[in-house]
């Protein structure tokens, strides 16, 4: 596991995104204890405060909850929240960009849909 120090994405956001990926991949499930900021700092070789900021993002998004003196744990609906957010934000933006570029290239709707279908088949 590593963070991309050359990325324009801040390290704490990369850590938060990594934890979200762990939840979506079911490596962290409902009520599982997540890494502490010190464990994350060691894992990614970053300052504990940076790792703590990544955890804070997930707390604020209600993907994690705290148990005083015990640590942080995955909320019951964390995976569903992440998937919904990604569908509503990430996929929508990607689809908008794809449609805009297709229009620039004069790609017809049916041709674009066929390209998407073909790509889905290739990735199965």
């Amino acid at each position: 596991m590593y963070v991309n120090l050359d990325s324009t994405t801040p390290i704490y956001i990369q850590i938060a995104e990594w934890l979200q990926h762990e939840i979506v991949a079911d490596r962290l499930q409902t009520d599982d204890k997540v890494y502490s900021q010190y464990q994350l700092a060691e894992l990614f070789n970053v300052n504990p405060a940076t790792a703590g900021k990544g955890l804070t993002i997930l707390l604020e998004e209600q993907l994690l909850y705290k148990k005083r003196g015990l640590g942080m744990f995955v909320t019951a609906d964390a995976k569903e929240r992440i998937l919904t957010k990604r569908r509503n934000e990430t996929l929508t933006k990607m689809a908008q960009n794809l449609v805009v570029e297709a229009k620039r290239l004069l790609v017809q709707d049916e041709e674009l849909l066929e390209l998407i279908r073909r790509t889905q088949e290739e990735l199965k």
Side-chain angles (χ1 to χ4, degrees):
M1 287 161 263
Y2 70 97
V3 292
N4 183 353
L5 301 175
D6 295 327
S7 174
T8 58
T9 305
I11 293 169
Y12 68 94
I13 291 176
Q14 291 181 54
I15 291 171
E17 289 174 347
W18 178 78
L19 286 167
Q20 288 180 12
H21 179 71
E22 293 295 291
I23 292 168
V24 169
D26 289 327
R27 288 188 284 272
L28 287 172
Q29 297 182 357
T30 299
D31 296 322
D32 281 355
K33 184 175 181 177
V34 299
Y35 301 94
S36 72
Q37 73 183 53
Y38 299 102
Q39 290 170 319
L40 287 169
E42 188 174 322
L43 195 61
F44 290 104
N45 198 28
V46 297
N47 186 300
T50 301
K53 284 178 75 172
L55 289 169
T56 298
I57 289 172
L58 301 183
L59 278 170
E60 290 172 352
E61 292 180 357
Q62 298 177 342
L63 301 175
L64 302 180
Y65 65 93
K66 277 186 182 182
K67 284 187 181 179
R68 190 173 180 163
L70 296 177
M72 292 189 213
F73 300 82
V74 179
T75 60
D77 62 348
K79 183 174 179 176
E80 292 76 24
R81 284 175 175 261
I82 294 167
L83 292 174
T84 298
K85 181 179 178 183
R86 287 185 180 178
R87 282 185 189 114
N88 292 342
E89 293 176 13
T90 307
L91 278 183
T92 299
K93 285 180 187 176
M94 291 172 78
Q96 288 170 344
N97 291 336
L98 179 63
V99 169
V100 166
E101 185 63 17
K103 287 190 183 300
R104 285 186 194 132
L105 298 173
L106 305 174
V107 174
Q108 299 298 314
D109 292 348
E110 279 306 312
E111 187 181 350
L112 180 59
L113 291 173
E114 180 56 33
L115 175 63
I116 292 169
R117 286 185 196 104
R118 204 173 35 228
T119 302
Q120 283 180 317
E121 284 300 315
E122 290 171 3
L123 294 176
K124 284 186 180 178

